[in-house]
Amino acid sequence: MNDRHLIDVGGGTIGGLLARRAAANPDKIAFITPQAEMTYGALDDAATRIASALAGLGLAKGDSVAIFMRNRIEWVTTWMGTARGGFVCVPVNTAYKAAFLQHALKLTKARVVVTEPLLLPALVAELAELPNLEWIVLVEDAPQAPAGVKTLTYQDLLGRAEQFSTSETEIAPADISSIALTSGTTGKSKGVVMPHYLTVVAARENAESMGTTSRDRLYTCLPMFHGSAQFNMCLHGIYAGATIVLAERFSASRFWDEMRAYEITMFNALGPILSILLAQPLSERDRDHQVRRVFAAPAPPDVLMPFEDRFHVHVVEGYGLTEIKNVTYNPIETRKIGSIGKPTTTTELQIHGPTGERLGVGEVGEIVYRPRVANVMFTHYVDDLKATIATMRDMWWRTGDLGYVDADGFYYFVDRQKDALRRRGENISSYEVEVVLMSFAGVVEAAAVGTPSDLGEDEVLAVIETHDGENFDYEALFRHCDQRLPHFMVPRYYRVLPSLPRTPTGKIQKAVLRTDGLADGTWDSWSAGHRPTRPA
């Protein structure tokens, strides 16, 4: 491991990184939330107090602390405190309840849950099935304390803190900092075990790729249980010594007003956020802000280019997965629009064929990964050795994504392997179909999925999210696709929904769309007399 890199990221740990930034500029505002502002010095002190208080509850190094609350300053201080104390942070999706919440807390063996009164009923309902849970910490007073488990307020927790010395708990870059829960779209969520060094290197590479400095003001409205907010923005901001604004939720109507009010220079976006902002009415104030860069994944060209032109910002794309962090970024000065960029300095990528052979330039295959330094990828899935081993082949970690690389070393995402379609002997990228669908006026988001065909293989079903469902012009959308897609990729079926089904982390649940299939209201272009134009 490179010593310079370890020094650069505070010794390779989250707590060390925070301490380094606090020592350099203790009075600089680190976080702004709806509840409070906090300087780097105050955040560093809070991390030490929380670490001490959690140790006082009987926790030992490696024990899990679950954070089950919406975006607020206590999310950040709890996270920093678990890192400082050598405990394991478990971010829990605030939409979880019943079996989902129970599974998350049982899998990670959480001994403490830090939550808020709004979410307490969902937690209380599962207490009988959580033998490891010993303490509930509430960031606000609840009308009634739950029975069967010890409960205290956040202020009470802080009141228990004694002077905590980081030397009492030696923390190394390889030690576990967090367990991230996957979305679980094809089964129960997996627990992704993440070393400290993975997270701080992810922060460093994001900051370097965005050109972030201590003068920047970063903004995220994505939930903190999602790595895009937690690592790609918040820890990224701490690495740069910048100020981070943590909003409660996304609001299209208030978005640019917030950018102006907080003098934001960078924000991040997932899913349909860029498309939703583009769909807002034009305004003479569209360029009246200080935002200079946006990190977005993905950002199809038909969204990226209009967004940049309208709002006068630069969109930086990247590619990554929870298990391996972001591993590519599109360079700011030499980018190729449509590419996911080039590998980071800690990353080695290749494109492999079905039997593990390395493919050449332009050949589509599976994107595979391995690290160039230690401790920058997950160590394993919690209690799931079989799943962990299944992701590896020939010393390469298999992403499950299809892509290709060009002669200049730029990588391109084609599709998820499981989302790829096959029609009449032709392979179809659902991603490429969706890019065209989303370039049609009025389409907020789109998903292309396969539905069984009488002729074998798949027909393509396009499911559209739009706010104009009653008056949606299916024929115009068909013609739009027919003009832009090869004939074998043009969807036969079209269906409109007010909103697409999503996982709690915002991913479209294509499995649900495939199960629903040709539900009532599906428009069949063939029955309407329309067939794709074939080449002469």
Side-chain angles (χ1 to χ4, degrees), residues 17-95:
L17 176 62
L18 174 60
R20 183 178 172 88
R21 296 299 173 259
N25 204 346
D27 297 326
K28 172 76 176 286
I29 297 295
F31 278 87
I32 299 173
T33 75
Q35 296 80 26
E37 293 185 359
M38 186 169 280
T39 65
Y40 274 97
L43 180 58
D44 188 55
D45 178 65
T48 297
R49 294 179 66 198
I50 292 296
S52 175
L54 290 172
L57 295 182
L59 270 65
K61 180 180 178 181
D63 283 339
S64 294
V65 177
I67 306 180
F68 183 46
M69 61 180 147
R70 295 168 297 174
N71 288 5
R72 53 187 299 148
I73 195 65
E74 291 89 352
W75 211 113
V76 180
T77 55
T78 303
W79 171 31
M80 291 294 112
T82 60
R84 176 65 52 80
F87 311 119
V88 177
C89 175
V90 180
V92 180
N93 195 308
T94 55

Side-chain angles (χ1 to χ4, degrees), residues 65-72 75 78 90-98 101 104-105 112-124 137-139 225:
V65 177
I67 306 180
F68 183 46
M69 61 180 147
R70 295 168 297 174
N71 288 5
R72 53 187 299 148
W75 211 113
T78 303
V90 180
V92 180
N93 195 308
T94 55
Y96 278 2
K97 56 187 175 181
L101 180 57
L105 298 178
V112 176
V113 175
V114 184
T115 188
E116 57 184 307
L118 179 69
L119 301 172
L120 187 58
L123 178 59
V124 169
V137 178
L138 287 165
V139 294
F225 59 75

Side-chain angles (χ1 to χ4, degrees), residues 466-500:
T466 179
H467 303 309
D468 193 29
E470 293 183 1
N471 303 309
F472 193 80
D473 192 337
Y474 288 105
E475 292 190 4
L477 177 57
F478 174 87
R479 291 194 296 270
H480 175 85
C481 292
D482 191 32
Q483 292 168 0
R484 292 164 175 78
L485 290 169
H487 72 278
F488 61 86
M489 295 177 67
V490 177
R492 172 180 173 178
Y493 298 107
Y494 300 78
R495 181 152 51 93
V496 163
L497 294 176
S499 61
L500 295 177

Side-chain angles (χ1 to χ4, degrees), residues 380-415:
H380 63 284
Y381 296 117
V382 177
D383 296 337
D384 200 340
L385 179 61
K386 182 177 179 180
T388 304
I389 294 173
T391 63
M392 300 296 298
R393 181 170 67 186
D394 297 333
M395 304 303 292
W396 290 91
W397 193 78
R398 302 166 63 185
T399 67
D401 291 338
L402 298 174
Y404 64 93
V405 61
D406 69 14
D408 296 320
F410 282 81
Y411 281 77
Y412 296 79
F413 175 85
V414 172
D415 212 345

Side-chain angles (χ1 to χ4, degrees), residues 344-512:
T344 68
T345 57
T346 62
T347 298
E348 184 176 0
L349 293 183
Q350 288 185 4
I351 304 296
H352 284 189
T355 59
E357 74 279 15
R358 185 176 184 179
L359 300 182
V361 169
E363 294 184 284
V364 174
E366 184 176 14
I367 303 171
V368 297
Y369 161 87
R370 62 186 176 197
R372 294 186 181 276
V373 299
N375 302 310
V376 294
M377 67 179 292
F378 84 126
T379 62
H380 63 284
Y381 296 117
V382 177
D383 296 337
D384 200 340
L385 179 61
K386 182 177 179 180
T388 304
I389 294 173
T391 63
M392 300 296 298
R393 181 170 67 186
D394 297 333
M395 304 303 292
W396 290 91
W397 193 78
R398 302 166 63 185
T399 67
D401 291 338
L402 298 174
Y404 64 93
V405 61
D406 69 14
D408 296 320
F410 282 81
Y411 281 77
Y412 296 79
F413 175 85
V414 172
D415 212 345
R416 291 288 297 163
Q417 280 188 323
K418 64 183 179 182
D419 290 338
L421 307 172
R422 188 169 178 84
R423 184 190 200 188
R424 310 292 190 274
E426 298 278 4
N427 292 320
I428 297 173
S429 163
S430 62
Y431 173 79
E432 292 178 325
V433 175
E434 289 157 4
V435 167
V436 171
L437 290 166
M438 289 175 60
S439 67
F440 184 74
V443 173
V444 176
E445 186 67 290
V449 298
T451 190
S453 167
D454 293 338
L455 303 177
E457 296 185 327
D458 295 315
E459 291 292 354
V460 182
L461 164 65
V463 187
I464 305 301
E465 180 177 321
T466 179
H467 303 309
D468 193 29
E470 293 183 1
N471 303 309
F472 193 80
D473 192 337
Y474 288 105
E475 292 190 4
L477 177 57
F478 174 87
R479 291 194 296 270
H480 175 85
C481 292
D482 191 32
Q483 292 168 0
R484 292 164 175 78
L485 290 169
H487 72 278
F488 61 86
M489 295 177 67
V490 177
R492 172 180 173 178
Y493 298 107
Y494 300 78
R495 181 152 51 93
V496 163
L497 294 176
S499 61
L500 295 177
R502 296 181 180 277
T503 69
T505 54
K507 295 179 182 178
I508 296 173
Q509 293 180 302
K510 289 191 173 182
V512 172

